Structures are given as structure tokens and as C-alpha cells.
Amino acid sequence: MTLFDERTEVLPPVRTPEASEQGRPGLGIRVAVLAVVLVVLATTAFATAEGLVRSERERAIVAEARTMFALPESQRIEVDIPGSVLLQELAGRFDSVGLTVRSFAVGSANSDFMMTLEGLEDTDGTWRADHLSGAVTLSAAQATALLVPPEAQGAMRVDFSGGDMVVGASVPGGAPPQSVSLAMTPHFDKGRFSMGITSVTAGGETMSAAEMGAKTGVDLAALQPAPVCLAEALPRFVRVRDVGVTDQRFRIDVDVDLPAVETATGSEPGSCP
């Protein structure tokens, strides 16, 4: 080896700042992760609060409905509050609240009573509604119990077809007894419910009211049931607005006179002019 021999040393590679920054998460990524975590926590907290407030408000509305309509604790009541209950609670006003009372007594029958409270607002700790409307709906069996006299319910029954109510009966004398049915369209006027006969089915043959009259000379209009005052089967604070057949159920649309609900007169059976 001489003084002029060259020594070459291998130095370690120099780490550039870019390589170092790529090795660990940047500030932007950490902020994004933190934001996602905060959003998840806020959403979870809101959902939890929403569930608690909804449950409490539904319970309070059910209790108020029991008091308003004098319903027992065994009465099944369902509540539907569209939208966010928490936000509406904070505003002190609910745009709409739905109530369904199962097995609601209507005369001699039970029904489903569906109500819609509009503009439910907190006034000095008391909730008041601007308007309350509803509908009483009856199945075929419930309509039979309401409209057919008890002594005839074994032989007569009520069913539905389209917008008509069909009253069927078994006529004795045959083997088996012959089945006869009348299709009738519901009408409502001045609080009274009536039905106009549209067709008759007997022995598998169906004839319109006009055809029946022409063939037999029988005036079916004279055989139509007498009008029924529906108001007499309901508390006075419930005012019947219309009747009809919808979705295989007999439907009675009503309005509720809220000021009369808590009065003794309002709880009495209604009447027709």
C-alpha cells in the first residue's frame, strides 16, 4: 500500500424528508379520522336521545289518550310520530301524531279507532292539539255485530265487495239451505247511515235492482233497511263526517270536538236531527 492508495468508504443513504413523512400518517389523515369518530359519536348520542325521548313522549300520549277517552289500562293503544321526536320536542310542537285504539267500542261492536292529532303544542306544560280527526273501521265480523240484530246474526252476515256492503242470509227450506245476498252501496246524510240495494244474488244468479223489479215486480227500494243514526252509537264529542267501504273494511270518518271531550255532555251518546 502506498500513500496514494485511495480508500473508499460506503456511507449510509441519507433519508430525505419526503421518505420520512410517507412513513407515518399526516396531519390531514388524523384530522379526518378524528372527524369521523366525532360524527359517529354524535350520531350515536342523537339516536340514543331520540329513542329515549320518543319512548317517553309515546308513553305520555298514551296516558293522555286513556284519560281523554276513559280507556282502561288493558286497552291497546298504538302511537305513530313521524319525523324526529327530539327536534319536535325541543320546538315544543308536533306537526302530526297518529293514534290507533284497538277494540274501541262502537255500539254493540268493537272497532279500530285511528286518530290524527294535528298541531300538538306544549302550552304551559299542557299539550293541546289544533285539530283531531279520525276513522272508525270495522271488519266484516265487527260490521255484522253492529248492523245485524243479535237474534238474526246466526242467519245473516255482512261482507264487502269493492265499494259495496254485501248482506248475506241463508233461506231455509232447501237441502242445503239456499244462499241469498244483497249488495248495497252505503250512503250518509245528516248523521244517518243508509244503504241502497244495487243487486241481488240467489241460486248463483245475480240481477241488478232494476232487473229484479222488472222480472218479479218487487220494488227493492221498499225493502231497503231503514237509515241508522250512527251518532247514537258514539259519544257526542265524536262527529261522523262520512261512511264507506274501503280495503275490505267499513269505514266511518269522524271529527272530534276537543272542547267537548272532557265534559259530561260530550260523553253522552249523540243524536241525529
Side-chain angles (χ1 to χ4, degrees):
M1 179 181 295
T2 66
L3 294 175
F4 299 101
D5 289 339
E6 295 183 357
R7 297 179 60 188
T8 303
E9 296 184 2
V10 179
L11 299 177
V14 178
R15 297 181 63 188
T16 63
E18 290 78 5
S20 177
E21 290 175 0
Q22 293 174 359
R24 61 176 182 270
L27 179 60
I29 296 178
R30 284 178 287 179
V31 170
V33 171
L34 179 60
V36 170
V37 172
L38 291 176
V39 169
V40 171
L41 291 176
T43 302
T44 303
F46 182 85
T48 301
E50 172 74 16
L52 293 174
V53 173
R54 179 177 290 274
S55 178
E56 176 60 25
R57 181 47 54 198
E58 289 178 351
R59 184 200 63 77
I61 291 174
V62 167
E64 185 68 22
R66 291 194 192 283
T67 301
M68 178 183 296
F69 297 103
L71 301 174
E73 289 294 327
S74 58
Q75 191 88 45
R76 181 184 169 192
I77 303 176
E78 301 169 3
V79 181
D80 177 32
I81 307 177
S84 170
V85 175
L86 180 58
L87 296 179
Q88 294 180 85
E89 182 83 16
L90 293 174
R93 180 182 175 86
F94 291 84
D95 294 332
S96 175
V97 174
L99 277 174
T100 301
V101 181
R102 303 295 184 185
S103 300
F104 183 77
V106 177
S108 58
N110 288 331
S111 68
D112 289 340
F113 186 13
M114 298 173 291
M115 294 169 280
T116 301
L117 296 95
E118 299 174 9
L120 190 62
E121 191 167 6
D122 185 4
T123 306
D124 298 329
T126 301
W127 287 89
R128 302 289 183 184
D130 294 337
H131 183 251
L132 174 57
S133 60
V136 177
T137 64
L138 297 98
S139 65
Q142 292 169 334
T144 299
L146 176 65
L147 301 173
V148 177
E151 61 274 13
Q153 289 180 13
M156 298 179 65
R157 62 197 176 278
V158 174
D159 208 339
F160 308 114
S161 176
D164 288 341
M165 181 177 293
V166 180
V167 179
S170 297
V171 180
Q178 187 177 9
S179 176
V180 177
S181 63
L182 301 177
M184 297 180 284
T185 302
H187 300 287
F188 183 73
D189 183 47
K190 296 180 180 179
R192 297 183 183 275
F193 162 68
S194 62
M195 294 183 289
I197 299 176
T198 57
S199 65
V200 179
T201 300
E205 181 182 0
T206 300
M207 292 182 289
S208 68
E211 291 172 339
M212 186 73 176
K215 183 175 182 179
T216 65
V218 176
D219 183 9
L220 292 181
L223 302 178
Q224 292 177 171
V228 176
C229 179
L230 292 178
E232 295 176 351
L234 297 167
R236 191 175 296 273
F237 63 77
V238 178
R239 298 175 178 173
V240 180
R241 187 164 21 94
D242 198 6
V243 300
V245 175
T246 304
D247 298 329
Q248 293 296 302
R249 294 182 75 88
F250 179 56
R251 180 184 176 101
I252 307 171
D253 292 301
V254 301
D255 286 322
V256 176
D257 183 359
L258 291 173
V261 168
E262 299 177 359
T263 65
T265 301
S267 300
E268 296 174 356
S271 60
C272 295

